[in-house]
């Protein structure tokens, strides 16, 4: 049975059942990824940025004869933001190819259509069944990134300590656990806005104005995701010349996520990218001793960043693709398949 589901009011047993399914999916499709934990999972599934909405459905087995609720064997949520609905679907590996995924996408797409949205986007992990699934549903590939993973156990720490200091004269590198200090929010937002055109990735929008940035940091904290930031400040102007962001999620605290790394154009060529990333890893090692790996996503065209990541020890892991579809066409295709 597929039904709309609100993670804010769901029972703890349902949250636990969804976690079991999510971990079965990871074990089948991304066996190197750490399993997720229950920590802040409800908040992760519920909290959104102001102005955004997330709507969820589950596929649940029938209750047992004694009334015990059935397991959650599939889940979909759609995040409505800007003009797009961003979809995430999963089906327990033991229950795949029985039409659950298609039915979940059908109900979600119908709602997105009813809400007046025209397009749906989804992140699809390369070399997993999701590729065939979304292509069968008529989604097309818009963009491919590479996910890379850094094993902190294999890092050459003395070399990294050296790299962290190799920044041009006139720059000051600063570590900001929790987020940028309030007095730097405006300069921080300016640095992010500058590279918007070049590096923007539609499904993971960044925040470019100070208020949106504050909201975004508050949302991260509410979702149980702890941000760490390293800044390179241009001493002469006080401007943020470079920044790098890492988030440690309560749901998988052994593997941190590298978010944006930005070096403002006029400050490129001074070693800032390498130095701030190296400093971040050094700080993480003492602030979050549980972190064993860091994962990052890069456009395949971003050669200079890929080069720095390789020097730090990142190893390419998977293609990470964005697919999209016109909602009207999707609704029509799924309705006529029934
Ligand atoms: C993608 C996914 C949701 C599909 O779920 P599902 O319930 O098996 O999908 P369905 O049974 O509704 O399949 C619908 C159609 O999609 C296509 N399809 C599904 N799996 C496919 C596969 N492995 N290869 C090729 N096509 C496939 C088929 O056309 C299928 O129709 P058919 O079975 O009649 O031929 C499921 O594989 C999954 O959960 N993947 C993990 C997604 C995820 O979140 N990943 C993130 C962490 S890795």
């Amino acid at each position: 049975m597929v039904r709309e589901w609100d993670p804010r009011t769901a029972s703890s047993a349902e949250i636990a059942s969804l976690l079991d399914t999510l971990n079965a999916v990871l074990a089948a499709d991304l066996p190197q990824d750490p399993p997720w934990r229950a920590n802040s999972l409800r908040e992760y599934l519920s909290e959104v940025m102001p102005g955004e909405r997330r709507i969820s459905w589950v596929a649940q087995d029938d209750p047992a004869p004694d009334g015990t609720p059935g397991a959650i064997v599939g889940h979909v949520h759609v995040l409505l933001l800007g003009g797009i609905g961003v979809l995430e679907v999963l089906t327990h590996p033991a229950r795949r190819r029985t039409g659950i995924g298609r039915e979940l996408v059908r109900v979600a797409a119908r709602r997105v259509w009813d809400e007046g949205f025209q397009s749906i986007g989804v992140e699809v992990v390369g070399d997993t069944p999701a590729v065939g699934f979304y292509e069968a549903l008529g989604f097309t590939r818009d963009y491919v990134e590479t996910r890379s993973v850094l094993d902190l156990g294999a890092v050459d720490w003395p070399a990294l300590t050296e790299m962290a200091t190799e920044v041009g004269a006139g720059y000051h590198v600063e570590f900001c656990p929790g987020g940028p200090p309030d007095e730097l929010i405006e300069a921080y937002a300016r640095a992010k806005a500058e590279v918007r055109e070049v590096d923007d990735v539609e499904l993971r929008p960044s925040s470019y104005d100070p208020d949106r940035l504050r909201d975004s940091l508050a949302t991260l904290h509410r979702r149980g995701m702890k941000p760490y930031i390293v800044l390179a400040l241009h001493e002469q102007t006080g401007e943020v010349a470079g920044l790098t962001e890492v988030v440690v999620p309560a749901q998988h605290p052994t593997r941190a996520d590298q978010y944006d790394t930005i070096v403002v154009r006029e400050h490129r060529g001074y070693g800032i990218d390498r130095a701030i990333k190296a400093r971040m890893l050094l700080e993480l090692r003492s602030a979050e001793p549980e972190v064993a790996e860091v994962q990052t996503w890069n456009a395949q065209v971003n050669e200079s960043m890929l080069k720095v990541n390789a020097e730090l020890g990142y190893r390419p892991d998977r293609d990470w693709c964005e697919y999209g579809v016109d909602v009207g066409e999707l609704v029509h295709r799924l309705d006529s398949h029934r």
Side-chain angles (χ1 to χ4, degrees), residues 5 11-27 34-42 44-45 58 71-75 90 92-93 250-252:
W5 183 76
S11 68
S12 304
E14 285 174 355
I15 299 276
S17 181
L18 175 58
L19 178 63
D20 286 347
T21 291
L22 170 65
N23 281 332
V25 165
L26 285 173
W36 281 41
R37 303 179 186 177
N39 305 359
S40 299
L41 184 56
R42 186 189 296 278
Y44 178 86
L45 295 167
V58 289
I72 290 182
V73 295
H75 178 251
L90 54 90
H92 194 291
Q251 300 81 18
H252 52 89

Side-chain angles (χ1 to χ4, degrees), residues 144-167:
V144 187
E145 288 187 296
T146 302
R147 182 179 76 167
S148 304
V149 179
L150 174 66
D151 171 5
L152 294 187
V155 164
D156 179 347
W157 292 104
L160 205 78
T161 309
E162 192 71 13
M163 279 183 206
T165 61
E166 288 168 352
V167 62

Side-chain angles (χ1 to χ4, degrees), residues 295-331:
Q295 58 187 356
T296 187
W297 290 262
N298 289 103
Q300 290 172 344
V301 290
N302 198 341
E303 279 171 29
S304 65
M305 205 167 273
L306 288 172
K307 185 166 165 278
V308 169
N309 285 348
E311 276 178 52
L312 293 167
Y314 280 92
R315 298 281 164 264
D317 173 48
R318 293 274 182 152
D319 281 352
W320 219 264
C321 316
E322 283 181 19
Y323 277 73
V325 73
D326 176 86
V327 183
E329 283 172 23
L330 179 63
V331 167

Side-chain angles (χ1 to χ4, degrees), residues 170-190:
Y171 295 97
H172 166 73
V173 176
E174 200 169 303
F175 174 57
C176 313
D182 209 54
E183 67 273 16
L184 284 176
I185 285 267
E186 301 216 348
Y188 193 89
R190 272 197 298 281

Side-chain angles (χ1 to χ4, degrees), residues 118-134:
Q118 243 96 67
S119 57
I120 287 185
V122 62
E123 285 188 4
V124 180
V125 185
D127 289 328
T128 69
V131 175
F133 173 73
Y134 287 109

